[in-house]
Amino acid sequence: MSYLINPLKRLFDFQGRATRKEFWLFILWLFVFSVPVSFAIMFICLFIGGAMFSDMGSQQSMGWIGVFICFISSYLAALLLPLSLRTRRLHDIGLSGWWQLILLVPSLGRLVMLIFMLIPSEKQDNRFGRVPAGILKQTPEAPACQGAPADTTGRPC
């Protein structure tokens, strides 16, 4: 459950790293609940827009401005919600969050970002932070063991 709550807690936190599991579980949760939430927001916006100025005759179109503002604000919230999570996911593979600007390139940008989001986490600390919990940290082998054959018992040097 922390994979769903943690991205919401860190909504405006663009520092650190996020694992693949955290990213994809949150995206799945976002898509599953976005449809019912979108219908609820649409209903509320239409209700508010219809209630504002409905009896003022020539100003009836002013109610649709309220609907438009409500839709735009909910759309922007949906776009900004995964922004920090994508940044932390890019940090996890060793890239800067500025790579999200590639999404401005039609079609190709989304494909590249999808590939980035599928790349496994770096297994060592990087410039963006420590290895997240749940990722096995890779430790370098001792110099004496590199290239040395196993002994007669089958154990490595």
Side-chain angles (χ1 to χ4, degrees):
M1 192 64 158
S2 67
Y3 291 109
L4 303 178
I5 303 298
N6 195 28
L8 292 174
K9 285 182 181 176
R10 298 179 63 191
L11 185 60
F12 297 108
D13 181 12
F14 292 87
Q15 305 296 319
R17 297 167 62 169
T19 63
R20 255 191 320 186
K21 184 176 182 180
E22 178 182 356
F23 176 80
W24 287 110
L25 283 177
F26 184 76
I27 295 300
L28 176 68
W29 177 83
L30 191 65
F31 281 126
V32 166
F33 289 104
S34 67
V35 172
V37 168
S38 295
F39 280 118
I41 289 173
M42 183 176 66
F43 177 74
I44 291 169
C45 290
L46 289 173
F47 180 74
I48 291 171
M52 292 171 62
F53 312 112
S54 63
D55 59 343
M56 297 189 136
S58 65
Q59 292 184 350
Q60 187 173 5
S61 63
M62 292 297 288
W64 293 108
I65 292 174
V67 170
F68 179 73
I69 290 171
C70 188
F71 277 134
I72 293 297
S73 61
S74 62
Y75 181 73
L76 287 176
L79 283 178
L80 295 177
L81 191 60
L83 185 66
S84 65
L85 183 60
R86 259 194 322 263
T87 300
R88 291 192 310 274
R89 179 70 194 116
L90 286 168
H91 288 175
D92 193 44
I93 61 172
L95 297 174
S96 169
W98 288 103
W99 273 95
Q100 292 185 73
L101 292 176
I102 203 163
L103 289 170
L104 297 175
V105 177
S107 300
L108 180 65
R110 288 181 184 256
L111 178 65
V112 170
M113 189 58 65
L114 175 65
I115 292 168
F116 283 163
M117 297 299 111
L118 292 173
I119 294 174
S121 301
E122 286 188 346
K123 295 190 183 327
Q124 65 271 2
D125 297 345
N126 64 17
R127 64 185 173 133
F128 299 106
R130 301 184 58 84
V131 176
I135 302 293
L136 294 175
K137 193 170 187 176
Q138 182 179 17
T139 57
E141 290 185 39
C145 292
Q146 291 179 346
D151 63 11
T152 57
T153 62
R155 292 179 297 189
C157 65

